[in-house]
Amino acid sequence: MSAAEPARGPDPPARGEGRPAPHPSPTPRPPAPTADRRAAYRAGARAALPFTVAIFAFGISFGVLAKGSGFTALAATTMSGLVFVGSSQFAAVSVLAGGGGWVAAAVAGTLLNLRYLVMGFAILPALRGGRARRAVEAQWVIEESWAIASDADGRFDRVRLLSSGAVLWLGWVAGTLAGALGPITAVDITRYGLDAVSPVLFFLLLAPHLGTDGRPGRRAAALAATGSALALTAAGLPDTAIAAACLIALVATWRAR
């Protein structure tokens, strides 16, 4: 260093040297539900209310049947909470009441639940998460919640499925408990017309598809399925009526794709 050059001090520390390491930024919290999502939850719950009234009355019928078959109120209500499918529960309890064993009752209920395989495959793209989470969310799928969650374009809204399914589940479990604990008997079921609740419930699901929406094929399929089901039921073939209606619906869905 020449005399003309002024003395320099020590070089400044390199970036990051001699300084405390910065604290890692906190993990951001997940965003709060948006207004649209909250609105979808409310819409699903509101749409489920008319069906919940019918399902509550239907649950009373099941509670009365279970009580007459020797079920305790706790057992009947637990079954409704875990199974959450009226038709299979009626079938299983009827088999037990007729002297059948648990295996026969389980087979009867399982066969009636096979229709949910088709419904589950249809709604699967709308569910989220891994297999375990999707399996839990799929437990809310019944005919009513499936219909409420469906959109006109064939897709499904997950939020409407969950909110409507929760409301419907509460109605079904509460109805079962009321029937199992209350004073209503099997004679009262016919006297008060509670045995007609199930047909009315399914008509509520069918009615929106009978309107004019620019797709006459869907209306024709709904009318054909209804007519065949009524005819076969009147002929004493209710199981065949269900199969025929499902077949017509599947064919109509395949042709519309």
Side-chain angles (χ1 to χ4, degrees), residues 9-248:
D11 293 335
R15 181 176 297 179
E17 294 182 2
R19 302 177 184 176
H23 294 288
S25 58
T27 303
R29 293 183 178 181
T34 62
D36 290 342
R37 189 174 181 182
R38 290 195 296 267
Y41 274 114
R42 290 194 297 267
R46 284 196 302 266
L49 289 178
F51 299 104
T52 304
V53 174
I55 283 182
F56 177 79
F58 196 33
I60 291 176
S61 299
F62 174 72
V64 171
L65 173 65
K67 178 174 60 177
S69 302
F71 279 63
T72 64
L74 177 61
T77 307
T78 301
M79 184 180 186
S80 286
L82 295 177
V83 180
F84 189 31
V85 181
S87 57
S88 64
Q89 291 180 229
F90 272 97
V93 172
S94 297
V95 169
L96 294 174
W102 284 100
V103 174
V107 170
T110 301
L111 290 176
L112 283 173
N113 279 355
L114 289 179
R115 66 190 185 276
Y116 289 111
L117 287 177
V118 179
M119 298 168 66
F121 281 123
I123 207 169
L124 182 61
L127 304 181
R128 295 181 182 176
R131 292 182 178 180
R133 178 176 176 179
R134 284 181 292 168
V136 172
E137 292 184 350
Q139 303 309 306
W140 298 115
V141 177
I142 59 174
E143 286 86 350
E144 294 79 9
S145 61
W146 191 85
I148 292 172
S150 64
D151 291 324
D153 58 1
R155 292 182 293 182
F156 294 87
D157 187 284
R158 169 182 169 271
V159 174
R160 290 204 308 268
L161 170 72
L162 300 180
S163 57
S164 63
V167 173
L168 294 165
W169 181 85
L170 288 173
W172 175 245
V173 172
T176 301
L177 182 62
L181 290 178
I184 299 178
T185 64
V187 176
D188 296 326
I189 297 296
T190 305
R191 179 184 302 166
Y192 298 128
L194 295 180
D195 54 333
V197 169
S198 181
V200 171
L201 186 61
F202 281 98
F203 178 77
L204 291 174
L205 294 175
L206 177 66
H209 300 284
L210 300 180
T212 302
D213 60 353
R215 288 183 289 178
R218 190 167 77 169
R219 181 170 56 183
L223 290 172
T226 303
S228 65
L230 289 175
L232 291 170
T233 301
L237 301 171
D239 295 335
T240 307
I242 295 174
C246 290
L247 179 60
I248 292 172

